[in-house]
C-alpha cells in the first residue's frame, strides 16, 4: 500500500491559511473497485484505506510513523509562496519604486 506525505496548500477560495500547518499522510487510491448495492443503489468501495488521513506536526513524525508501520511512502516537497508585505501608506511614499500611472 502506497502512501504520500505532504503539507497541504492554502485553499484558493479563502485568504486564510488554516489547515496548512500540519503534515498529512494519505494512502494513494489504487485499483478502487466500486459496486452498487442492489437494494438501495448506493455506491460502495472495497478498500476504505483511501479515506484515512493522518495529521502530524512535523514531516519527521510522519516519516517515522510510516517506517514503523511498514508503509511505503513518498514525500512531496512543499511549495511555500512568497508574501509581498506592504502597507497602504506605501502607495503615497515619496520614494516610490514604481512611478504613478496617472
Amino acid at each position: 500500500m502506497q502512501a504520500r506525505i505532504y503539507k497541504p496548500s492554502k485553499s484558493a477560495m479563502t485568504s486564510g491559511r488554516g489547515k496548512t500547518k500540519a503534515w498529512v499522510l494519505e494512502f494513494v487510491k489504487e485499483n478502487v473497485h466500486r459496486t452498487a448495492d442492489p437494494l438501495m443503489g448506493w455506491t460502495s468501495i472495497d478498500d476504505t484505506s483511501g479515506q484515512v488521513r493522518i495529521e502530524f506536526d512535523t514531516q519527521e513524525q510522519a516519516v517515522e510513523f510510516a517506517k514503523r508501520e511498514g508503509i511505503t511512502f513518498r514525500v512531496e516537497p512543499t511549495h511555500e509562496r512568497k508574501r509581498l508585505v506592504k502597507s497602504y501608506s506605501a502607495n503615497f511614499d515619496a520614494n516610490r519604486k514604481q512611478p504613478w500611472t496617472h
Side-chain angles (χ1 to χ4, degrees), residues 1-70:
M1 191 166 6
Q2 177 84 10
R4 68 182 189 130
I5 298 172
Y6 67 99
K7 193 170 186 181
S9 61
K10 179 184 85 65
S11 171
M13 301 302 290
T14 64
S15 61
R17 300 190 45 88
K19 298 184 182 178
T20 61
K21 298 190 182 357
W23 284 83
V24 176
L25 183 137
E26 261 183 359
F27 292 101
V28 178
K29 299 172 183 97
E30 299 173 350
N31 301 328
V32 176
H33 184 259
R34 298 183 184 273
T35 57
D37 182 38
L39 179 63
M40 298 298 289
W42 293 340
T43 305
S44 63
I45 57 174
D46 56 355
D47 182 23
T48 58
S49 65
Q51 299 172 355
V52 176
R53 179 185 168 120
I54 306 171
E55 293 186 356
F56 298 92
D57 292 332
T58 63
Q59 177 185 355
E60 291 78 21
Q61 289 177 344
V63 169
E64 180 182 322
F65 174 80
K67 287 181 180 178
R68 185 175 64 235
E69 298 299 321

